[in-house]
């Protein structure tokens, strides 16, 4: 069942989404070589809770930490650890989800640590552009499949591949709601978008092949070929005349202009 949010619900949900965006703005300024992904977790946890919110991943289906930290060949759901130190040339995705005033806000970005190989920088840049291209087709009457179609086309044009096993999702009072937002597929397929629908667009794009592997911790998803993977995520709402990105902070909008 796809829930349609009222104007009032969107206002409240926007507050949660804005806090998630602000958490990423905050952690972006703290990242440095030598810190651990557990340090990232603790800083984000404290930021979120000090604003009166709860970090949605914590204890979600048993997830042990407050954010996901996915380094290099980790596609998604990386578990913060004191053993993982950031080093020059890494790419690190930080996925923040906040639960505030009964609504979830979900957003992630991939950050550069020090000097990153230009080929990997290009992967990150194209992944951001894939997310934005997917978001930009969203409006009443468009089909959910249109999102995946443009993302897959753009990724493949650059010789990259799209992860199939994990997808975007409806979001609101629940962390993961209907519908699933695949990042590949065919135009004109799937349900049509309607004003008040809220969902994420969060493509995971691989430098090599699309295939993935789940590690023994039952959370960490890595590329089978061990090549890097990047991801960006926004939560959006369908409006009467298009869409609005709820996880963009108007005071400090994230726009990398690669
Ligand atoms: N934030 C992730 C998403 O975009 C989900 C993380 S689930 C967790 O859907 F349990 F790993 F935290
Ligand atoms: Co999500
Ligand atoms: Co997320």
């Amino acid at each position: 069942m796809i829930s349609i949010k009222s104007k009032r619900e969107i206002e409240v949900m926007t507050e949660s989404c804005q806090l998630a965006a602000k958490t990423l703005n905050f952690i972006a300024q703290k990242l440095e070589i030598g810190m651990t992904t557990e340090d990232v977790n603790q800083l984000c946890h404290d930021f979120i809770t000090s604003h009166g919110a709860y970090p949605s991943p914590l204890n979600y289906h048993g997830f042990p930490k407050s954010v996901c930290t996915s380094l290099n060949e980790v596609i998604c759901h990386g578990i913060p650890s004191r053993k993982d130190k950031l080093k020059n040339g890494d790419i690190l995705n930080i996925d923040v989800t906040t639960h505030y005033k009964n609504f979830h806000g979900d957003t992630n970005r991939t950050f550069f640590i020090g000097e990153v190989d230009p080929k990997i920088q290009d992967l990150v840049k194209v992944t951001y552009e894939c997310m934005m291209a997917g978001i930009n087709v969203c409006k009443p009457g468009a089909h959910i499949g249109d999102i995946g179609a443009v993302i897959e086309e753009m990724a493949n044009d650059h010789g990259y591949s799209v992860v199939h096993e994990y997808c975007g999702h409806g979001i609101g009072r629940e962390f993961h709601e209907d519908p699933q937002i695949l990042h590949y597929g065919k135009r004109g397929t799937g349900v049509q978008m309607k004003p008040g629908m809220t969902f994420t667009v969060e493509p995971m794009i691989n430098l090599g092949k699309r295939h993935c592997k789940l590690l023994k911790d039952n959370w960490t998803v890595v590329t089978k070929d061990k090549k890097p993977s990047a991801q960006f995520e926004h939560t959006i709402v369908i409006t009467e005349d298009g869409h609005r990105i709820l996880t963009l902070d108007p005071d400090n909008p994230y726009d990398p202009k690669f």
Side-chain angles (χ1 to χ4, degrees):
M1 206 262 294
I2 299 176
S3 69
I4 298 295
K5 279 81 176 177
S6 68
K7 251 188 117 184
R8 179 65 197 145
E9 286 175 306
I10 295 298
E11 275 173 30
V12 181
M13 184 162 160
T14 300
E15 291 185 53
S16 189
C17 289
Q18 294 290 301
L19 179 59
K22 283 187 158 57
T23 307
L24 286 177
N25 292 343
F26 161 79
I27 196 66
Q29 297 176 328
K30 302 278 177 191
L31 293 177
E32 58 180 22
I33 291 165
M35 75 194 282
T36 68
T37 54
E38 172 56 31
D39 296 332
V40 170
N41 181 72
Q42 193 63 54
L43 286 162
C44 291
H45 178 92
D46 291 348
F47 187 89
I48 292 164
T49 55
S50 71
H51 286 79
Y54 181 83
S56 310
L58 187 58
N59 300 322
Y60 180 77
H61 293 285
F63 191 77
K65 297 285 175 177
S66 298
V67 295
C68 297
T69 51
S70 301
L71 268 170
N72 302 321
E73 75 280 4
V74 178
I75 295 171
C76 64
H77 304 167
I79 304 173
S81 164
R82 281 188 312 179
K83 290 187 191 137
D84 291 323
K85 265 201 173 75
L86 305 186
K87 54 183 197 311
N88 188 48
D90 282 346
I91 55 170
L92 173 67
N93 180 279
I94 304 176
D95 192 337
V96 168
T97 313
T98 50
H99 188 245
Y100 184 63
K101 298 189 181 176
N102 296 319
F103 285 93
H104 295 274
D106 191 6
T107 181
N108 74 51
R109 297 177 201 157
T110 299
F111 297 99
F112 297 138
I113 308 299
E115 292 286 312
V116 172
D117 178 335
K119 287 200 187 76
I120 300 176
Q121 284 188 36
D122 187 71
L123 170 71
V124 173
K125 164 178 176 260
V126 169
T127 302
Y128 179 78
E129 283 163 4
C130 283
M131 174 189 67
M132 292 310 291
I135 290 172
N136 282 331
V137 303
C138 293
K139 60 177 185 195
H143 291 261
I144 294 294
D146 301 350
I147 300 172
V150 293
I151 290 174
E152 186 175 32
E153 254 172 42
M154 183 173 286
N156 291 347
D157 278 352
H158 290 266
Y160 302 143
S161 63
V162 177
V163 172
H164 284 200
E165 287 81 355
Y166 301 87
C167 56
H169 49 92
I171 182 168
R173 293 182 189 273
E174 303 296 331
F175 192 166
H176 294 104
E177 299 183 354
D178 288 340
Q180 290 197 1
I181 310 294
L182 302 184
H183 302 112
Y184 62 95
K186 268 199 170 64
R187 277 190 185 74
T189 64
V191 297
Q192 281 180 290
M193 300 177 203
K194 284 195 186 69
M197 281 174 65
T198 49
F199 56 83
T200 71
V201 178
E202 50 178 306
M204 287 144 272
I205 307 293
N206 295 351
L207 186 66
K209 297 214 162 62
R210 71 170 179 84
H211 303 96
C212 57
K213 195 177 93 181
L214 182 65
L215 296 189
K216 289 210 181 67
D217 62 20
N218 265 312
W219 281 107
T220 313
V221 181
V222 298
T223 56
K224 219 169 178 180
D225 61 16
K226 300 199 170 71
K227 292 187 181 166
S229 179
Q231 185 181 20
F232 285 88
E233 174 177 28
H234 271 312
T235 297
I236 72 166
V237 59
I238 303 303
T239 59
E240 295 297 330
D241 55 358
H243 64 267
R244 188 162 68 249
I245 300 177
L246 300 179
T247 43
L248 255 198
D249 173 5
D251 300 329
N252 189 6
Y254 176 74
D255 180 7
K257 297 222 171 56
F258 283 107

